[in-house]
Amino acid sequence: MLDVCNEIRVIKRGLLPFENVEFVFDLYLPLIGNEATFLYLFLMNNVKNGEFSGKFGDLINASKMEMQSFLLAKKTLESIGLLSFYENKKDNKFLLIVNDAYTPKAFFTNLVLKGLFIQNCGEERTKKILEKYNVSINTKGYNDISAKINDTFVIDFNSNFAELDQKEDLVGLNKNTIKDSFSDVKLLNYLKKNTQIKINSLTDDEIDFIHKVATLYGMKEKDVGGLVADCFIPEEPVGNKIDRNKLRRNAKTYVRSYKISKNKTDSKTFINSTSDIANLVNMYESISPRKFLMSKQNDVEPSDADKNLIEELSFDMGFSNGIINALLDYVLRTKNGELSKNYVLKIATTLIRKGCKNTLDCLNLLSSPKRENKSDFVKTNFDKPENSDNSLNNLDDDESEDYKIFD
């Protein structure tokens, strides 16, 4: 544990250019607050001409901050990647490294930082920052006639000179990383055991992208692994085998569903009637989702993917068997026998937001708002849904705005 008497060295990693201070105020201040921002600038100033070495208590006193405020600000800076903290257990010494702030391009390329910024500042402020640092130059109508390197230099050196055995670790803009609990190894193990994806078909860049998406939405390895399998395109060349836009959309839809685990629904709907819709409700509630799916496919056992989807609807979203069966029946009829996980989860989260508590609620919400006679719903929506005017049938259009901020 860090104590005021411990020896600590504070050094810089990177150039820490003065111009980056503007990036700190524009990009990081809204996320980390004023105390963490001050601490970062204080540490930058301390190491601009060399490292600091001394007692941890002396460093706190020099900053004029309270110890608790200093430690909280330090933790925040470590979480965002502006500081790195190391411990030497043998000598009980510590090393604090001050990292470069990201440039605007690197900042908004990082999905986690971009998501946090939009979450804290909103879309309007984000657009203003993007406009401020926009350096695009309109070259339409012009041809690039710049001289090529061969026009000035003779490339005639021994290639071995350019491939030094020793790895260069030189001064530059440091590309720091944000630590998280997501494990790439666990992800690859999941894909190897549960999918047909060959691990060597994924590039480091694709794995890094999957990692960022999972971190952005707080997903576990097995959660995002299932989505990766759905977004994998075998016929594409290496480097393009993951449909990145689809993965982001699916992740956003999926995370909405599994976070709603406290939702409670009624296992039975009490209807004092013998109408068509009452009989339909009774049918949905009298059979398990597994057997219901089997009845729809000539008693063939549902696939593992379909069983996993049923489990999500039951355990993660709190749906009763009746609601699950009504939802599955609706999607199967609407999508001509296809059971799209993404589409099912979209409708499921909409049902929760609209307060669906039992099977009858589910049927009413899935029916067209223009129909007053619910017997018409039974005949139309579940016999010929492709011709129905359904309020939940165009969710792709309703949800499209949510994804624009990440494009």
Side-chain angles (χ1 to χ4, degrees), residues 257-279:
S257 67
Y258 77 69
K259 283 188 176 180
I260 312 175
S261 57
K262 295 182 180 180
N263 183 53
K264 302 296 181 183
T265 56
D266 301 327
S267 59
K268 289 291 181 181
T269 305
F270 297 98
I271 306 177
N272 187 18
S273 171
T274 57
S275 63
D276 289 341
I277 197 166
N279 292 332

Side-chain angles (χ1 to χ4, degrees), residues 180-194 199 202 204 207-208 210-211 214 220-222 224-225:
D180 53 65
S181 58
F182 188 86
S183 170
D184 291 343
V185 174
K186 289 183 179 179
L187 169 66
L188 296 176
N189 285 336
Y190 176 88
L191 294 176
K192 184 177 180 180
K193 293 179 181 178
N194 298 280
I199 304 305
L202 296 176
D204 290 343
I207 294 173
D208 184 54
I210 297 169
H211 185 129
K220 296 181 180 179
E221 293 82 3
K222 65 182 182 65
V224 75

